[in-house]
Amino acid sequence: MKILLLEDEEAIRGFITINLKRSGMTVSEADTGERALALVEQGGPFDIALLDVMLPTISGFDVCRQLRERFPHMGIIMLTAKAQEEDKIHGLELGADDYVQKPFSPGELIARIRSLYRRMGAFHSPQTESNDSSVDIRDHESIQLPSELRSGPFHLLIQERRFYKNEVEIVLTPTEWSLVKLLMEREGEGVSRNEILTEIWGRYYTGELKVVDVNIRRIRQKIEPNAADPKFLETIWGFGYRWKRGKDE
């Protein structure tokens, strides 16, 4: 797994790097937003980017926006020392998949990275997975999984990880794709925020339910004729969300 680490404090950056390398990850370090973007230019796309928010020049938010525009399938986790809710939401709205608030333990960060990597459709060896990891696919070769899902104007190709509306592809981030797949699989059924959080982010996730709502809002902006009046992704107030076949307009 290739990790891009953007952190301007040398001691914190070194501490994170050591722990990620001990977990078998390859880490490229950057202390400025400019350096992080240059590393992407030189070394190609990374699997996951860890982006500190507060930086001396280009902020982590700006780097997140640029990376998401160029690499929609890259995993992005924001590292923030700020507790304000608006900072967390801002990063998610720019396309980040998750955030980890400082101070954090190495175990928490590694668990978040692995959870995101699974949402990106990658398989890992049992030696590098956490306790809530996916089962090794080799043990289930006989299980026939669906290759596609259809609902109204939508068509989800599972192996190819592509999503279409009226045969026009809609580009989703790894987290958005996993969320759409979960809700399409349970079309017409109400799914609670807590269940979505467990299914997508993992049962040991320590963040807030707001991460679900922000991702739902991003998906609506991509699939709905009017995101303020959703036809396909319905809110069940005080509970969660429901995928409906709807009526395209």
Side-chain angles (χ1 to χ4, degrees):
M1 193 190 314
K2 289 179 60 179
I3 305 293
L4 171 64
L5 172 60
L6 171 57
E7 167 61 63
D8 65 330
E9 294 190 34
E10 184 176 358
I12 296 176
R13 190 171 67 249
F15 177 71
I16 294 173
T17 297
I18 288 172
N19 283 279
L20 296 186
K21 287 183 175 180
R22 284 176 177 169
S23 296
M25 304 175 194
T26 301
V27 184
S28 295
E29 301 179 33
D31 57 357
T32 66
E34 294 89 342
R35 176 59 179 159
L37 294 173
L39 285 173
V40 173
E41 290 289 343
Q42 297 165 8
F46 291 80
D47 295 311
I48 293 175
L50 307 177
L51 308 178
D52 186 26
V53 170
M54 299 302 294
L55 298 167
T57 52
I58 300 177
S59 74
F61 292 136
D62 290 330
V63 175
C64 174
R65 177 182 52 79
Q66 293 188 49
L67 291 180
R68 182 54 76 215
E69 288 174 354
R70 293 186 55 196
F71 306 105
H73 303 300
M74 177 187 290
I76 299 177
I77 298 176
M78 306 302 297
L79 308 178
T80 174
K82 292 188 173 183
Q84 288 89 343
E85 184 176 1
E86 58 266 25
D87 291 307
K88 302 172 185 176
I89 293 174
H90 185 48
L92 295 171
E93 288 178 336
L94 288 172
D97 296 284
D98 200 355
Y99 64 86
V100 180
Q101 185 174 315
K102 299 177 182 177
F104 51 79
S105 69
E108 178 188 4
L109 179 59
I110 290 168
R112 297 284 190 92
I113 291 172
R114 287 176 172 161
S115 176
L116 175 54
Y117 199 42
R118 287 193 294 276
R119 297 201 295 276
M120 294 165 65
F123 292 102
H124 311 280
S125 66
Q127 290 79 10
T128 59
E129 285 291 356
S130 57
N131 290 333
D132 65 334
S133 64
S134 302
V135 179
D136 193 331
I137 193 172
R138 293 171 297 180
D139 295 332
H140 296 268
E141 293 177 350
S142 62
I143 297 177
Q144 297 298 315
L145 299 176
S147 61
E148 62 181 8
L149 296 171
R150 290 185 180 272
S151 174
F154 299 104
H155 184 196
L156 187 85
L157 296 176
I158 296 175
Q159 276 71 37
E160 293 85 348
R161 297 183 70 83
R162 293 182 180 275
F163 179 62
Y164 297 86
K165 179 183 180 184
N166 294 322
E167 305 309 321
V168 177
E169 184 171 8
I170 296 175
V171 178
L172 301 175
T173 69
T175 298
E176 291 167 355
W177 191 92
S178 296
L179 234 174
V180 167
K181 178 176 178 289
L182 170 66
L183 294 173
M184 283 185 68
E185 286 174 334
R186 298 171 62 172
E187 179 183 357
E189 178 183 346
V191 186
S192 72
R193 287 178 175 85
N194 281 316
E195 186 174 358
I196 291 172
L197 198 68
T198 299
E199 290 290 333
I200 304 300
W201 282 268
R203 56 182 161 172
Y204 300 116
Y205 184 76
T206 57
E208 303 172 7
L209 284 172
K210 183 64 68 175
V211 70
V212 175
D213 301 325
V214 176
N215 275 277
I216 291 289
R217 185 160 65 241
R218 287 196 335 226
I219 293 169
R220 281 176 172 159
Q221 291 169 350
K222 295 181 179 182
I223 71 170
E224 299 281 359
N226 178 5
D229 183 24
K231 306 297 183 186
F232 305 107
L233 226 175
E234 178 186 17
T235 297
I236 304 175
W237 296 107
F239 181 75
Y241 298 96
R242 177 190 293 121
W243 186 277
K244 300 193 300 179
R245 185 169 295 272
K247 181 180 180 182
D248 199 9
E249 297 181 352

